Amino acid sequence: MQDIKFAPPDGAFTRTVQIRFSHCDPAGIVYFPHYFNMFNGLIEDWYTEELGVNYADLIMHDQHGFPFVHIDTDFKIPSRMGEKLDLTLLIEKIGRSSLTLAIVGHKDGTERLRARTVTAMMSLSSGRSVELPAALRAAFEAYAAKTGGKT
Amino acid sequence: MQDIKFAPPDGAFTRTVQIRFSHCDPAGIVYFPHYFNMFNGLIEDWYTEELGVNYADLIMHDQHGFPFVHIDTDFKIPSRMGEKLDLTLLIEKIGRSSLTLAIVGHKDGTERLRARTVTAMMSLSSGRSVELPAALRAAFEAYAAKTGGKT
Amino acid sequence: MQDIKFAPPDGAFTRTVQIRFSHCDPAGIVYFPHYFNMFNGLIEDWYTEELGVNYADLIMHDQHGFPFVHIDTDFKIPSRMGEKLDLTLLIEKIGRSSLTLAIVGHKDGTERLRARTVTAMMSLSSGRSVELPAALRAAFEAYAAKTGGKT
Amino acid sequence: MQDIKFAPPDGAFTRTVQIRFSHCDPAGIVYFPHYFNMFNGLIEDWYTEELGVNYADLIMHDQHGFPFVHIDTDFKIPSRMGEKLDLTLLIEKIGRSSLTLAIVGHKDGTERLRARTVTAMMSLSSGRSVELPAALRAAFEAYAAKTGGKT
């Protein structure tokens, strides 16, 4: 498999994860479920630091849930203890109640993994999907525009 | 979304996971990265208990790795603390060096989640994919045949 | 350090944990925070299976919390992927609102680790410690008596 | 229980942990095994950033292990999603082959938890404890001196 180059678009939200002893398995590489934890942390930070939405409040106080309904991930190159992995978040699609993100893990300009996640806003009381609040939708649209459009 | 019925085919490998306090998030449902850990445990048990392959030896002693190269998952119905979730493993495809599995999470005849995982056998020394050993391939084929063919 | 022998007293609650790939670190042994997760699972199972108390209900529905206020652990012998570790739960002390447990990890009659945990019953509304409910205290006393008294 | 004040001594190594959704349990507070993972990360960063010792190399390349042989922890005040918890590392004792650390979790000048950890240097080949390398011992002594002596 050939290496795939990746350069985050201007304005994209990127956070660097220190690959720790605790992430690694007996083969010395990241045990894959930890990546999903990293994705969740990235999305949390994106809400809080980039969009100015308090993720804790969104989940805990507004009686909204925003669960994952789909995730697919291609693992291309493993990461090892002591390395720093960059994770970049891009918007693929904004639906009526759902949001599709791309999360790209990369290092030194090469893609190491790429995930697509779909979350859907739910009412915690009814258990049904609800339309994205207008302010949140606007924040998503602004981020997509700023990073060169939906991917 | 309508509920999807699921009944494991005869002979399918199913293990029941007790949903624990430790699996659940502040919304009281399973925090999704834990599912991937459950999948890995299911696959481990399938090798050891169903195929008679020692997974620990396969990974640690034979200088082979069998990393995930792709996973996609649809999360349909959340699971809660105290519930028991059944996980069934089926074979979708047996490649030259890769194995594609379906993992279905179900309870009381209803699908709760469904994953497709692709693992590829690698040499740990060269980092390249290697052909599946004949004995392993035969074990995969036998399991697929026994459970009604590749899905 | 000399090996310490351990034989669970008659009637003691013991569960066997399969040491999995996911538990192990790059040195091939259990990454120690996983042990605390195993302890929590053991205690959960003890409530449900031995004492007949539904732990999920206790935590989620009765507005009681039962958090850990202290844990100390001696790690004596590491455990490796593919091994089966037995965990035995014994009662050390029953306080007004607190319970002190000993959890012994052992294999083939030899102690591998030993923990002492103290949990204290709290009201989730007031945040204060509350006296152990009489039925729970009676269940603890019965278990202690059955396993040869508090250790 | 009265609150305990804590102010890190000058020069002490402190890192701030963002309490995330993923750390929290159905009661909305940090699930305690995650604290041990945070301690391990703090120690890792202390080696790398404060002592200038590459922790990954120490573990992976020098054929030395530095496992925990003892940990005790008092959990005083729970932490919640969205909070920032400061973790400060202090040296309690430097032994022949062992190192005893205090790790204090604090927020706004109040202790939330306090751990004492003992690690012992081992040869991975012989499985026996080995004397701390002189350079490492000197680094530990310098840090202890700088932070006001062993606690």
Side-chain angles (χ1 to χ4, degrees):
Chain A
M1 197 162 59
Q2 264 198 294
D3 285 357
I4 296 169
K5 294 292 162 198
F6 178 77
D10 285 351
F13 187 80
T14 298
R15 287 293 175 271
T16 301
V17 176
Q18 170 78 35
I19 304 301
R20 294 182 174 284
F21 187 75
S22 63
H23 294 128
C24 294
D25 66 20
I29 61 175
V30 174
Y31 176 56
F32 77 97
H34 290 303
Y35 286 122
F36 297 98
N37 205 27
M38 294 174 196
F39 298 165
N40 204 63
L42 180 75
I43 294 173
E44 216 173 285
D45 288 346
W46 177 66
Y47 278 104
T48 307
E49 298 171 21
E50 172 74 28
L51 304 187
V53 173
N54 186 314
Y55 190 74
D57 284 356
L58 184 74
I59 300 289
M60 302 296 288
H61 296 303
D62 291 357
Q63 293 301 306
H64 280 150
F66 209 25
F68 290 91
V69 295
H70 177 81
I71 302 180
D72 59 76
T73 308
D74 290 301
F75 302 97
K76 294 163 184 177
I77 300 174
S79 290
R80 289 171 194 285
M81 187 178 164
E83 290 187 331
K84 290 177 194 297
L85 180 68
D86 293 322
L87 294 173
T88 294
L89 184 154
L90 297 169
I91 288 180
E92 289 207 347
K93 191 178 155 197
I94 305 168
R96 198 191 70 93
S97 65
S98 73
L99 176 68
T100 305
L101 300 175
I103 296 177
V104 184
H106 52 104
K107 183 168 164 56
D108 302 333
T110 299
E111 266 195 43
R112 292 202 160 182
L113 55 87
R114 177 178 283 260
R116 206 176 69 224
T117 72
V118 184
T119 48
M121 185 147 285
M122 304 276 183
S123 157
L124 292 183
S125 46
S126 74
R128 288 168 185 254
S129 70
V130 296
E131 210 170 327
L132 291 171
L136 200 57
R137 172 181 299 276
F140 294 159
E141 293 285 3
Y143 180 77
K146 167 185 164 183
T147 53
K150 292 152 208 167
T151 57
Chain B
M1 197 162 58
Q2 265 197 293
D3 284 356
I4 297 169
K5 295 293 161 198
F6 179 77
D10 284 351
F13 188 79
T14 298
R15 287 294 175 270
T16 302
V17 176
Q18 171 78 34
I19 304 300
R20 297 184 171 283
F21 187 76
S22 62
H23 294 128
C24 294
D25 66 20
I29 60 175
V30 174
Y31 176 56
F32 77 96
H34 290 302
Y35 286 122
F36 296 98
N37 205 25
M38 294 174 196
F39 298 165
N40 205 63
L42 180 75
I43 294 173
E44 216 171 285
D45 289 346
W46 177 67
Y47 277 104
T48 307
E49 299 172 21
E50 172 73 29
L51 303 188
V53 173
N54 186 313
Y55 190 74
D57 284 356
L58 183 73
I59 300 290
M60 301 298 287
H61 296 304
D62 291 358
Q63 292 302 306
H64 280 151
F66 210 24
F68 290 91
V69 295
H70 177 83
I71 301 179
D72 58 76
T73 309
D74 290 301
F75 302 98
K76 295 163 184 178
I77 299 174
S79 291
R80 290 171 193 287
M81 187 177 163
E83 290 188 332
K84 288 178 194 297
L85 180 67
D86 292 323
L87 294 174
T88 294
L89 183 154
L90 297 169
I91 288 180
E92 290 206 349
K93 191 180 155 197
I94 305 167
R96 198 191 70 94
S97 65
S98 72
L99 176 69
T100 305
L101 300 175
I103 295 176
V104 183
H106 52 103
K107 184 171 163 52
D108 302 332
T110 299
E111 265 194 44
R112 293 203 159 181
L113 56 87
R114 178 178 281 262
R116 206 175 69 225
T117 71
V118 184
T119 47
M121 185 146 287
M122 304 275 182
S123 157
L124 292 183
S125 46
S126 74
R128 287 167 185 253
S129 69
V130 295
E131 210 170 329
L132 290 172
L136 199 57
R137 171 181 300 276
F140 295 159
E141 293 285 2
Y143 181 77
K146 166 185 165 184
T147 54
K150 291 153 209 165
T151 57
Chain C
M1 196 162 57
Q2 264 197 294
D3 285 356
I4 296 169
K5 294 292 161 199
F6 178 77
D10 284 351
F13 187 80
T14 298
R15 287 294 176 270
T16 302
V17 176
Q18 171 78 35
I19 304 301
R20 295 182 172 286
F21 187 76
S22 63
H23 294 128
C24 294
D25 66 19
I29 62 175
V30 174
Y31 176 57
F32 77 97
H34 290 302
Y35 286 123
F36 297 99
N37 205 27
M38 293 174 196
F39 298 167
N40 205 63
L42 180 75
I43 294 173
E44 217 173 284
D45 289 345
W46 177 66
Y47 277 104
T48 306
E49 298 171 20
E50 172 74 29
L51 304 187
V53 173
N54 186 312
Y55 189 74
D57 284 356
L58 183 74
I59 300 288
M60 302 297 288
H61 296 303
D62 291 357
Q63 293 300 307
H64 281 150
F66 209 25
F68 290 91
V69 295
H70 177 81
I71 302 180
D72 58 75
T73 309
D74 290 301
F75 302 97
K76 294 162 184 179
I77 299 174
S79 290
R80 290 171 193 287
M81 187 177 164
E83 291 188 330
K84 290 178 194 296
L85 179 68
D86 293 323
L87 294 174
T88 294
L89 184 154
L90 298 168
I91 289 181
E92 290 206 347
K93 192 180 155 196
I94 304 169
R96 198 192 69 93
S97 64
S98 72
L99 176 69
T100 305
L101 300 175
I103 295 176
V104 184
H106 52 104
K107 185 170 164 53
D108 302 333
T110 299
E111 265 194 44
R112 292 203 159 183
L113 55 88
R114 179 178 281 260
R116 207 175 69 223
T117 72
V118 185
T119 47
M121 185 147 284
M122 305 274 182
S123 157
L124 291 183
S125 46
S126 75
R128 287 168 185 254
S129 69
V130 296
E131 210 170 328
L132 290 171
L136 199 57
R137 172 181 300 276
F140 294 158
E141 293 285 2
Y143 180 78
K146 167 185 165 186
T147 53
K150 292 154 206 164
T151 57
Chain D
M1 196 162 59
Q2 265 198 294
D3 284 356
I4 296 169
K5 294 293 161 197
F6 178 77
D10 285 351
F13 187 78
T14 298
R15 286 295 176 270
T16 302
V17 176
Q18 171 78 34
I19 304 301
R20 295 182 174 284
F21 187 76
S22 62
H23 294 127
C24 294
D25 66 21
I29 61 175
V30 174
Y31 176 57
F32 78 96
H34 290 302
Y35 286 122
F36 297 98
N37 205 25
M38 294 175 196
F39 298 165
N40 205 63
L42 179 75
I43 294 172
E44 216 172 285
D45 290 345
W46 176 67
Y47 277 103
T48 307
E49 299 171 21
E50 172 73 29
L51 303 188
V53 173
N54 187 312
Y55 190 74
D57 284 355
L58 184 73
I59 300 289
M60 302 297 287
H61 296 304
D62 291 358
Q63 291 303 304
H64 280 150
F66 210 25
F68 290 91
V69 295
H70 177 82
I71 302 180
D72 58 75
T73 309
D74 291 300
F75 302 97
K76 295 162 184 179
I77 299 174
S79 291
R80 289 170 195 286
M81 187 179 164
E83 290 188 332
K84 288 177 194 298
L85 179 68
D86 292 323
L87 294 173
T88 294
L89 184 154
L90 297 169
I91 287 181
E92 289 206 348
K93 192 179 155 197
I94 305 168
R96 197 192 71 93
S97 65
S98 72
L99 175 69
T100 304
L101 300 175
I103 296 177
V104 184
H106 53 103
K107 183 170 165 52
D108 303 332
T110 300
E111 265 194 44
R112 293 202 159 182
L113 56 88
R114 177 178 282 261
R116 206 175 70 225
T117 71
V118 184
T119 47
M121 185 148 285
M122 304 276 181
S123 156
L124 292 184
S125 46
S126 74
R128 289 169 183 252
S129 70
V130 295
E131 209 170 330
L132 290 172
L136 199 57
R137 172 181 299 276
F140 294 159
E141 293 285 2
Y143 181 77
K146 166 185 166 185
T147 53
K150 291 153 209 165
T151 58

